[in-house]
Amino acid sequence: MSFGNWRLRCDDCGCFIGKNNTHFGGVYFGGPEDMEPPEARYLCDKCEAAEIAEARKSGRMPTRWVTADWEAPIAAELGFRWAALPGAAWGAWRRELPDGWEWVEVPDELK
Ligand SMILES: [Zn+2]
């Protein structure tokens, strides 16, 4: 990603972030009231660390349309794998396989 002269702001706390401490924070699902698809989130070091700490503390992984950069390694640490229904474009982090679901690799377009 090229930042040029632009400086991003963290989508959580609003602080300015530089190209060396910008973390892709994933993309949430949109809602029926949204006029456009939701935008990608970018986080500062502090806010990414807070999301990771929350996942470790709660033992839960977030549910998003596109996963954040930190999710795959933390999911593995917490015992989660990506699972999806056969043929579905989207899946979820799971510890146990729901009926009919399969363990799959996280699709490239979701990470
Ligand atoms: Zn922040």
Side-chain angles (χ1 to χ4, degrees), residues 10-15 43-47:
C10 174
D11 285 315
D12 262 14
C13 73
C15 76
L43 303 176
C44 68
D45 291 339
K46 184 185 75 170
C47 290

mmCIF file with all atom_site columns, all heavy atoms in Angstrom, residues 10-15 43-47, ligand 1:
data_model
loop_
_atom_site.group_PDB
_atom_site.id
_atom_site.type_symbol
_atom_site.label_atom_id
_atom_site.label_alt_id
_atom_site.label_comp_id
_atom_site.label_asym_id
_atom_site.label_entity_id
_atom_site.label_seq_id
_atom_site.pdbx_PDB_ins_code
_atom_site.Cartn_x
_atom_site.Cartn_y
_atom_site.Cartn_z
_atom_site.occupancy
_atom_site.B_iso_or_equiv
_atom_site.pdbx_formal_charge
_atom_site.auth_seq_id
_atom_site.auth_comp_id
_atom_site.auth_asym_id
_atom_site.auth_atom_id
_atom_site.pdbx_PDB_model_num
ATOM   1  N  N   . CYS A 1 10 ? -6.221  5.862  12.922 1.00 0.00 ? 10 CYS A N   1
ATOM   2  C  CA  . CYS A 1 10 ? -6.723  4.594  13.458 1.00 0.00 ? 10 CYS A CA  1
ATOM   3  C  C   . CYS A 1 10 ? -8.250  4.639  13.469 1.00 0.00 ? 10 CYS A C   1
ATOM   4  O  O   . CYS A 1 10 ? -8.846  5.622  13.902 1.00 0.00 ? 10 CYS A O   1
ATOM   5  C  CB  . CYS A 1 10 ? -6.181  4.389  14.870 1.00 0.00 ? 10 CYS A CB  1
ATOM   6  S  SG  . CYS A 1 10 ? -6.880  2.948  15.694 1.00 0.00 ? 10 CYS A SG  1
ATOM   7  N  N   . ASP A 1 11 ? -8.890  3.579  12.990 1.00 0.00 ? 11 ASP A N   1
ATOM   8  C  CA  . ASP A 1 11 ? -10.345 3.541  12.942 1.00 0.00 ? 11 ASP A CA  1
ATOM   9  C  C   . ASP A 1 11 ? -10.973 3.308  14.311 1.00 0.00 ? 11 ASP A C   1
ATOM   10 O  O   . ASP A 1 11 ? -12.190 3.410  14.447 1.00 0.00 ? 11 ASP A O   1
ATOM   11 C  CB  . ASP A 1 11 ? -10.815 2.467  11.961 1.00 0.00 ? 11 ASP A CB  1
ATOM   12 C  CG  . ASP A 1 11 ? -10.628 2.919  10.520 1.00 0.00 ? 11 ASP A CG  1
ATOM   13 O  OD1 . ASP A 1 11 ? -10.976 4.070  10.211 1.00 0.00 ? 11 ASP A OD1 1
ATOM   14 O  OD2 . ASP A 1 11 ? -10.121 2.131  9.716  1.00 0.00 ? 11 ASP A OD2 1
ATOM   15 N  N   . ASP A 1 12 ? -10.184 2.982  15.314 1.00 0.00 ? 12 ASP A N   1
ATOM   16 C  CA  . ASP A 1 12 ? -10.722 2.828  16.663 1.00 0.00 ? 12 ASP A CA  1
ATOM   17 C  C   . ASP A 1 12 ? -10.535 4.093  17.490 1.00 0.00 ? 12 ASP A C   1
ATOM   18 O  O   . ASP A 1 12 ? -11.487 4.678  17.963 1.00 0.00 ? 12 ASP A O   1
ATOM   19 C  CB  . ASP A 1 12 ? -10.078 1.644  17.375 1.00 0.00 ? 12 ASP A CB  1
ATOM   20 C  CG  . ASP A 1 12 ? -10.932 0.398  17.297 1.00 0.00 ? 12 ASP A CG  1
ATOM   21 O  OD1 . ASP A 1 12 ? -11.877 0.362  16.482 1.00 0.00 ? 12 ASP A OD1 1
ATOM   22 O  OD2 . ASP A 1 12 ? -10.663 -0.539 18.056 1.00 0.00 ? 12 ASP A OD2 1
ATOM   23 N  N   . CYS A 1 13 ? -9.276  4.536  17.671 1.00 0.00 ? 13 CYS A N   1
ATOM   24 C  CA  . CYS A 1 13 ? -9.016  5.662  18.580 1.00 0.00 ? 13 CYS A CA  1
ATOM   25 C  C   . CYS A 1 13 ? -8.820  6.980  17.851 1.00 0.00 ? 13 CYS A C   1
ATOM   26 O  O   . CYS A 1 13 ? -8.830  8.028  18.483 1.00 0.00 ? 13 CYS A O   1
ATOM   27 C  CB  . CYS A 1 13 ? -7.823  5.355  19.484 1.00 0.00 ? 13 CYS A CB  1
ATOM   28 S  SG  . CYS A 1 13 ? -6.231  5.404  18.640 1.00 0.00 ? 13 CYS A SG  1
ATOM   29 N  N   . GLY A 1 14 ? -8.596  6.956  16.541 1.00 0.00 ? 14 GLY A N   1
ATOM   30 C  CA  . GLY A 1 14 ? -8.481  8.202  15.788 1.00 0.00 ? 14 GLY A CA  1
ATOM   31 C  C   . GLY A 1 14 ? -7.090  8.802  15.742 1.00 0.00 ? 14 GLY A C   1
ATOM   32 O  O   . GLY A 1 14 ? -6.900  9.849  15.122 1.00 0.00 ? 14 GLY A O   1
ATOM   33 N  N   . CYS A 1 15 ? -6.113  8.173  16.380 1.00 0.00 ? 15 CYS A N   1
ATOM   34 C  CA  . CYS A 1 15 ? -4.749  8.729  16.350 1.00 0.00 ? 15 CYS A CA  1
ATOM   35 C  C   . CYS A 1 15 ? -4.161  8.557  14.950 1.00 0.00 ? 15 CYS A C   1
ATOM   36 O  O   . CYS A 1 15 ? -4.575  7.696  14.186 1.00 0.00 ? 15 CYS A O   1
ATOM   37 C  CB  . CYS A 1 15 ? -3.867  8.048  17.398 1.00 0.00 ? 15 CYS A CB  1
ATOM   38 S  SG  . CYS A 1 15 ? -3.319  6.393  16.950 1.00 0.00 ? 15 CYS A SG  1
ATOM   39 N  N   . LEU A 1 43 ? -5.801  -0.107 12.018 1.00 0.00 ? 43 LEU A N   1
ATOM   40 C  CA  . LEU A 1 43 ? -5.621  0.125  13.447 1.00 0.00 ? 43 LEU A CA  1
ATOM   41 C  C   . LEU A 1 43 ? -4.183  0.496  13.789 1.00 0.00 ? 43 LEU A C   1
ATOM   42 O  O   . LEU A 1 43 ? -3.242  0.078  13.099 1.00 0.00 ? 43 LEU A O   1
ATOM   43 C  CB  . LEU A 1 43 ? -5.987  -1.141 14.230 1.00 0.00 ? 43 LEU A CB  1
ATOM   44 C  CG  . LEU A 1 43 ? -7.392  -1.694 14.026 1.00 0.00 ? 43 LEU A CG  1
ATOM   45 C  CD1 . LEU A 1 43 ? -7.571  -2.995 14.794 1.00 0.00 ? 43 LEU A CD1 1
ATOM   46 C  CD2 . LEU A 1 43 ? -8.448  -0.682 14.440 1.00 0.00 ? 43 LEU A CD2 1
ATOM   47 N  N   . CYS A 1 44 ? -4.025  1.242  14.873 1.00 0.00 ? 44 CYS A N   1
ATOM   48 C  CA  . CYS A 1 44 ? -2.701  1.551  15.409 1.00 0.00 ? 44 CYS A CA  1
ATOM   49 C  C   . CYS A 1 44 ? -2.219  0.348  16.236 1.00 0.00 ? 44 CYS A C   1
ATOM   50 O  O   . CYS A 1 44 ? -2.974  -0.586 16.501 1.00 0.00 ? 44 CYS A O   1
ATOM   51 C  CB  . CYS A 1 44 ? -2.749  2.809  16.280 1.00 0.00 ? 44 CYS A CB  1
ATOM   52 S  SG  . CYS A 1 44 ? -3.670  2.613  17.828 1.00 0.00 ? 44 CYS A SG  1
ATOM   53 N  N   . ASP A 1 45 ? -0.950  0.383  16.646 1.00 0.00 ? 45 ASP A N   1
ATOM   54 C  CA  . ASP A 1 45 ? -0.391  -0.708 17.458 1.00 0.00 ? 45 ASP A CA  1
ATOM   55 C  C   . ASP A 1 45 ? -1.234  -0.967 18.711 1.00 0.00 ? 45 ASP A C   1
ATOM   56 O  O   . ASP A 1 45 ? -1.521  -2.111 19.058 1.00 0.00 ? 45 ASP A O   1
ATOM   57 C  CB  . ASP A 1 45 ? 1.031   -0.347 17.916 1.00 0.00 ? 45 ASP A CB  1
ATOM   58 C  CG  . ASP A 1 45 ? 2.026   -0.321 16.759 1.00 0.00 ? 45 ASP A CG  1
ATOM   59 O  OD1 . ASP A 1 45 ? 1.750   -0.948 15.717 1.00 0.00 ? 45 ASP A OD1 1
ATOM   60 O  OD2 . ASP A 1 45 ? 3.071   0.340  16.914 1.00 0.00 ? 45 ASP A OD2 1
ATOM   61 N  N   . LYS A 1 46 ? -1.614  0.128  19.386 1.00 0.00 ? 46 LYS A N   1
ATOM   62 C  CA  . LYS A 1 46 ? -2.321  0.000  20.665 1.00 0.00 ? 46 LYS A CA  1
ATOM   63 C  C   . LYS A 1 46 ? -3.693  -0.667 20.478 1.00 0.00 ? 46 LYS A C   1
ATOM   64 O  O   . LYS A 1 46 ? -4.061  -1.552 21.252 1.00 0.00 ? 46 LYS A O   1
ATOM   65 C  CB  . LYS A 1 46 ? -2.492  1.404  21.276 1.00 0.00 ? 46 LYS A CB  1
ATOM   66 C  CG  . LYS A 1 46 ? -3.113  1.416  22.647 1.00 0.00 ? 46 LYS A CG  1
ATOM   67 C  CD  . LYS A 1 46 ? -3.359  2.830  23.121 1.00 0.00 ? 46 LYS A CD  1
ATOM   68 C  CE  . LYS A 1 46 ? -4.552  3.366  22.387 1.00 0.00 ? 46 LYS A CE  1
ATOM   69 N  NZ  . LYS A 1 46 ? -5.121  4.604  22.808 1.00 0.00 ? 46 LYS A NZ  1
ATOM   70 N  N   . CYS A 1 47 ? -4.421  -0.246 19.453 1.00 0.00 ? 47 CYS A N   1
ATOM   71 C  CA  . CYS A 1 47 ? -5.772  -0.787 19.262 1.00 0.00 ? 47 CYS A CA  1
ATOM   72 C  C   . CYS A 1 47 ? -5.725  -2.231 18.751 1.00 0.00 ? 47 CYS A C   1
ATOM   73 O  O   . CYS A 1 47 ? -6.585  -3.035 19.112 1.00 0.00 ? 47 CYS A O   1
ATOM   74 C  CB  . CYS A 1 47 ? -6.573  0.108  18.331 1.00 0.00 ? 47 CYS A CB  1
ATOM   75 S  SG  . CYS A 1 47 ? -6.984  1.693  19.107 1.00 0.00 ? 47 CYS A SG  1
HETATM 76 ZN ZN  . ZN  B 2 .  ? -5.875  3.193  17.753 1.00 0.00 ? 1  ZN  B ZN  1
#
